[in-house]
Amino acid sequence: MGRRRIVTRAYAKLNLNLRVLGRRADGLHELRTIYQSIELADCLTVTVRPGPFELRCSDPAVPVDRRNLAWAAVVRASRAVGRGTPRDLSVFIDKRIPVEAGLGGGSADAAAMLHALTRLWPGELSASVCRRIASRIGSDVPFFLVGGTVLGLGAGDELFPLVDLPTHWAVVLIPTFGVPTASAYGWFDLAPRRVRPVLSREPLAVRAGALSLVGKLVNDLEPAVTAKYPEVRRMKAALRRAGADHPSMSGSGSCVFGLFSRRRDATAAAAVLRRQAWRVVVARTLSREDIISRESGCPRGAG
Ligand code: ATP
């Protein structure tokens, strides 16, 4: 068996907006969200070599068994193309995306794994089969097959690509605690809340690249997560003081981000924020085209 190696990036996302419209009969929540890819990325190296399937990860906190979403992707893809139980593959995940931060790291890895397998098994794994596998692994996994600026409806898996946001720089604050996604939705379901109207023009705001309207974008999970972790409020206040107009929590937390249209403003804000206890990452927003070019692999130090 020839030895082949594919190196690919799994880019993180931010939720520029996350409206929770209700709870569905299947237990999932009906969402209206705008996903945005950013250049912070895990790096997956997939090697074809004889022997049992193996997965390793640079972060010891991440499971390296069936619970890993990249592993789940391989199992489902092997079965779908009639290859049976996975074997003859070794996967290494160089973890750069913080875990349980609302940046979708596990889901991004699953999608990147599917992307790698389509290249390793040409003609076997169609785009539609990949999409089906992705949505079974998790509601946000299909987004990571697309990337860029995308409206997500349904459970977040019905995707409508938008005109890409003009390049911005996100300053992302990552606290020491993580928030499991299921917990955040559980707290949301239990929390008394004021119903905020869904603005019908939200996606249009991004379509027009009109980030001035980001002020009207909200994350409905934020109050419930903040009630458990008041530090989220402190992170937002610190970002605001550092010059971010409308900082927001991403996904189910725990990270909080602010967007800057000029790189030097983002870098200056990050320098101020690094004096505090949070991990600070500056990451450029990525367009769909940027995502396609991930074929070029992972230079040392990427992400
Ligand atoms: P979301 O933005 O969708 O809410 P998240 O960023 O909060 O996601 P992840 O970092 O994707 O959450 O991971 C959540 C859990 O998934 C972790 O507790 C981890 O045990 C598990 N997990 C499974 N596979 C992976 C993976 N490849 N990378 C990171 N975590 C993984």
Side-chain angles (χ1 to χ4, degrees), residues 13 61-63 67-70 93 95 98-107 109 140 179 181 252-253:
K13 58 86 178 157
V62 172
R67 288 169 298 167
N68 193 297
L69 301 187
I93 302 174
K95 196 84 200 152
V99 176
E100 291 186 348
L103 297 168
S107 301
D109 292 349
D140 61 354
V179 176
T181 304
S252 52

Side-chain angles (χ1 to χ4, degrees), residues 23-297:
R23 190 152 180 212
R24 314 193 316 191
D26 63 5
L28 296 174
H29 289 77
E30 188 73 14
L31 304 181
R32 176 165 176 170
T33 188
I34 297 172
Y35 298 110
Q36 175 62 57
S37 301
I38 55 170
E39 71 181 344
L40 174 66
D42 290 345
C43 185
L44 269 75
T45 304
V46 185
T47 309
V48 179
R49 56 97 183 93
F53 176 71
E54 171 197 59
L55 184 121
R56 292 172 299 124
C57 182
S58 59
D59 182 343
V62 172
V64 283
D65 53 24
R66 285 173 174 274
R67 288 169 298 167
N68 193 297
L69 301 187
W71 184 304
V74 177
V75 168
R76 285 178 181 273
S78 292
R79 208 182 296 141
V81 301
R83 285 174 174 261
T85 308
R87 55 171 294 108
D88 301 335
L89 288 174
S90 164
V91 180
F92 175 67
I93 302 174
D94 187 4
K95 196 84 200 152
R96 309 280 173 89
I97 306 174
V99 176
E100 291 186 348
L103 297 168
S107 301
D109 292 349
M113 191 67 228
L114 291 172
H115 175 73
L117 292 178
T118 56
R119 292 168 62 198
L120 284 172
W121 303 338
E124 291 185 55
L125 202 53
S126 68
S128 65
V129 171
C130 271
R131 278 197 298 273
R132 199 181 67 226
I133 293 172
S135 60
R136 292 203 176 139
I137 295 171
S139 302
D140 61 354
V141 182
F143 160 73
F144 292 101
L145 292 174
V146 179
T149 309
V150 178
L151 171 67
L153 301 179
D157 56 345
E158 294 171 28
L159 301 179
F160 300 87
L162 302 172
V163 173
D164 284 309
L165 190 72
T167 299
H168 279 72
W169 280 267
V171 175
V172 186
L173 292 190
I174 301 134
T176 49
F177 61 90
V179 176
T181 304
S183 303
Y185 280 95
W187 301 329
F188 172 86
D189 286 338
L190 294 174
R193 60 184 164 272
R194 184 167 60 88
V195 177
R196 282 187 286 196
V198 173
L199 302 172
S200 61
R201 300 186 71 83
E202 283 164 4
L204 289 179
V206 170
R207 182 182 290 269
L211 258 185
S212 56
L213 284 171
V214 161
K216 297 197 175 74
L217 304 182
V218 289
N219 182 334
D220 282 334
L221 297 176
E222 209 180 279
V225 173
T226 306
K228 296 279 172 188
Y229 291 103
E231 198 168 330
V232 169
R233 190 179 301 116
R234 289 196 285 277
M235 290 192 289
K236 282 183 69 173
L239 266 166
R240 221 176 274 116
R241 280 197 303 277
D245 275 344
H246 297 288
S248 179
M249 193 178 81
S250 182
S252 52
S254 56
C255 88
V256 170
F257 67 93
L259 288 179
F260 293 81
S261 54
R262 291 191 305 191
R263 175 183 229 154
R264 66 168 180 273
D265 293 342
T267 311
V272 171
L273 291 160
R274 282 202 179 98
R275 289 184 209 135
Q276 302 181 50
W278 307 301
R279 185 177 159 200
V280 184
V281 171
V282 179
R284 186 168 65 91
T285 60
L286 295 180
S287 68
R288 166 92 188 106
E289 280 305 307
D290 294 326
I291 303 292
I292 290 167
S293 66
R294 72 172 157 194
E295 317 264 315
S296 54

